[in-house]
């Protein structure tokens, strides 16, 4: 009855473009499936095309609930301020439950959100530009090490493969943490299909990413894992 999508994606950084949605949207319409679209990273996409929401397609507006928030685009992680947009009857039903489970967003967070919407667009554009630079820096570092990595087009994560190493994702991350004091997330934290991958976040300065790549490079070469 309901299917949930999260694009731009955590942990892979993958995005869905208009033609991707067009291929599968008729299936949802034909089978009367409601779509919940988590678009919290929508402002952080790289390239000329930008983010495209499935709700914009014909026949999907009335069967899509778009979820978003302020934590990623406006660097307000921890403020716990978000919103949902969708058909009025569904939103009304959500409110009935929500109002008795959660009190409300703090007043200071609401005013911060208002100011972000009114005055934060330039900051978002600058942050997106800087994230793109860090993204390309990290991908280039992986390539030089011989680590295979799908190119992320959104969010601020990479999901490189460590299958060549022979370690499980959990073992790789534990050894890397203990030996080089470098923390990454095992792909299995996102499900069994994440085995053989690690998630790396590039929401850090270039200087910190440079040090991280140096430590990762020492680690993989120590075990003769890659070139």
């Amino acid at each position: 009855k309901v299917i949930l999508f999260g694009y731009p994606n955590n942990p892979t950084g993958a995005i869905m473009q208009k033609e991707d949605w067009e291929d599968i949207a008729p299936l949802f319409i034909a089978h009367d499936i409601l779509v919940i679209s988590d678009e919290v990273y929508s402002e952080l996409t790289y390239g000329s095309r930008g983010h495209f929401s499935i709700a914009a397609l014909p026949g999907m507006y009335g069967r899509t609930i778009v979820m978003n928030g302020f934590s990623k685009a406006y660097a307000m992680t921890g403020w716990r301020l978000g919103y949902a947009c969708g058909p009025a009857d569904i939103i009304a039903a959500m409110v009935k439950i929500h109002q008795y489970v959660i009190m409300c967003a703090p007043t200071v967070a609401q005013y911060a959100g208002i100011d972000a919407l009114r005055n934060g667009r330039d900051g978002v554009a600058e942050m997106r530009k800087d994230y793109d630079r860090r993204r390309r820096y990290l991908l280039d570092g992986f390539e030089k090490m011989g680590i295979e990595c799908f190119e992320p087009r959104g969010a601020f994560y990479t999901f490189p493969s460590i299958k060549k190493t022979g370690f499980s994702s959990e073992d790789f991350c534990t050894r890397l943490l203990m030996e080089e004091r470098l923390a990454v997330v095992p792909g299995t934290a996102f499900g069994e299909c994440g085995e053989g991958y690690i998630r790396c976040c590039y929401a850090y300065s270039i200087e910190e990413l440079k040090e991280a790549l140096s430590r990762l490079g020492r680690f993989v070469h120590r075990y003769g894992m890659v070139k």
Side-chain angles (χ1 to χ4, degrees):
K1 292 191 178 289
V2 177
I3 187 166
L4 171 66
F5 288 102
Y7 290 99
N9 184 259
N10 173 15
T12 66
I15 64 171
M16 291 282 277
Q17 298 185 326
K18 183 179 180 181
E19 55 267 29
D20 299 318
W21 289 126
E22 288 175 333
D23 286 342
I24 60 176
L27 202 63
F28 306 142
I29 297 171
H31 294 277
D32 194 25
I33 296 174
L34 185 70
V35 171
I36 299 175
S37 183
D38 181 350
E39 302 180 14
V40 73
Y41 292 100
S42 60
E43 296 295 330
L44 300 178
T45 57
Y46 315 106
S48 59
R49 301 185 66 178
H51 176 70
F52 185 88
S53 174
I54 189 174
L57 291 179
M60 292 305 303
Y61 183 82
R63 65 175 65 254
T64 303
I65 299 172
V66 174
M67 300 174 64
N68 211 320
F70 293 79
S71 61
K72 310 305 178 184
Y74 298 102
M76 289 172 59
T77 304
W79 294 69
R80 319 315 298 169
L81 188 65
Y83 55 89
C85 304
D89 57 336
I90 295 177
I91 296 296
M94 290 169 61
V95 169
K96 286 181 182 179
I97 298 173
H98 185 272
Q99 66 184 343
Y100 295 112
V101 177
I102 305 295
M103 291 298 291
C104 66
T107 301
V108 65
Q110 294 184 55
Y111 276 111
I114 291 171
D115 192 67
L117 290 173
R118 287 176 174 170
N119 305 307
R121 304 304 299 175
D122 290 343
V124 172
E126 186 63 31
M127 182 171 64
R128 181 168 54 244
K129 180 180 178 181
D130 204 37
Y131 275 146
D132 188 26
R133 185 167 66 99
R134 302 175 198 180
R135 176 184 71 100
R136 288 183 277 109
Y137 182 80
L138 210 56
L139 290 174
D140 182 62
F142 290 152
E143 184 178 4
K144 289 176 180 177
M145 289 183 213
I147 295 177
E148 297 177 359
C149 185
F150 165 84
E151 182 180 353
R153 297 284 186 176
F156 40 65
Y157 308 108
T158 59
F159 205 56
S161 171
I162 49 94
K163 293 179 180 179
K164 290 181 181 179
T165 69
F167 288 137
S168 69
S169 295
E170 192 76 30
D171 285 343
F172 184 97
C173 293
T174 300
R175 286 172 178 262
L176 182 62
L177 179 63
M178 299 304 293
E179 296 180 24
E180 292 292 343
R181 297 297 188 262
L182 179 61
V184 295
V185 179
T188 47
F190 303 94
E192 293 182 6
C193 60
E195 181 59 80
Y197 297 86
I198 58 173
R199 192 196 72 172
C200 305
C201 175
Y202 50 88
Y204 299 90
S205 68
I206 289 291
E207 291 72 23
E208 290 171 309
L209 294 177
K210 181 179 180 179
E211 177 63 25
L213 286 174
S214 176
R215 297 185 186 196
L216 180 62
R218 285 200 304 264
F219 180 77
V220 298
H221 284 97
R222 180 177 305 133
Y223 291 97
M225 298 172 182
V226 293
K227 68 182 181 182

